[in-house]
Amino acid sequence: MSTSNNQEKNLTGSCACGSCTYTSTSPATHLDYCYCIQCQRISGAPFIAWMGVPRSTLTFSGPIVHVHLSKIATRGFCEKCGAGLSLQYECYPEKTHVAAGTVVRSDFGIPEVGIHIFVKSRPAWHRIAEDGVPRYEEFDEEFEERFPEVVKELRKLAE
Ligand SMILES: [Zn+2]
Ligand SMILES: [Zn+2]
């Protein structure tokens, strides 16, 4: 006899070529759109939609290259197709950001966008939707309060 929670719920994702995949057994906690210059340059898009996922329930497999574009965060890319999969802030060890565009399936659904960050860096040709969602020139207040040193470091990079 099987019980109703025999079937584990998952959030799964993949790079473009399928070499790198990930699975989380817990839902994403939030979804942010980041318009910072680094997110634009690595994706070729006006922003990256980042989902926060508890790191302890997230596992990656495949040839992932970890790139330190700055001292404060590590980005994970597929070695074969170049897809950007993840962003890990050193100051948020308990949480990993996963690019929402790489999600293949989520039994939990996907959170609605909660904030737009680094709006000051968005490309002039991109119009942000009038969605009523809070917009921040840089980080949101919680981040700025918790990690002032990180914010200072990022401001230097943005110059
Ligand atoms: Zn790939
Ligand atoms: Zn960004």
Side-chain angles (χ1 to χ4, degrees), residues 12-134:
T12 61
S14 172
C15 66
C17 76
S19 300
C20 297
T21 58
Y22 59 85
T23 301
S24 172
T25 53
S26 58
T29 54
H30 63 89
L31 178 67
D32 302 341
Y33 290 0
C34 183
Y35 302 81
C36 82
I37 296 294
Q38 287 190 354
C39 284
Q40 289 182 54
R41 298 292 187 261
I42 67 158
S43 67
F47 65 91
I48 295 180
W50 290 114
M51 263 176 8
V53 178
R55 191 178 185 173
S56 57
T57 66
L58 184 63
T59 52
F60 286 91
S61 68
I64 294 174
V65 180
H66 292 102
V67 176
H68 300 263
L69 282 175
S70 71
K71 273 189 282 182
I72 59 147
T74 305
R75 292 176 188 258
F77 298 88
C78 172
E79 185 184 77
K80 294 192 175 161
C81 70
L85 293 163
S86 65
L87 173 70
Q88 180 68 56
Y89 282 116
E90 312 295 340
C91 62
Y92 267 124
E94 73 279 11
K95 183 167 72 179
T96 300
H97 287 89
V98 163
T102 62
V103 171
V104 172
R105 204 190 81 232
S106 174
D107 297 325
F108 312 106
I110 302 288
E112 288 195 22
V113 57
I115 50 175
H116 297 277
I117 60 170
F118 280 88
V119 164
K120 70 169 192 183
S121 306
R122 77 188 184 284
W125 50 266
H126 176 71
R127 188 171 301 165
I128 299 174
E130 293 297 335
D131 54 9
V133 168

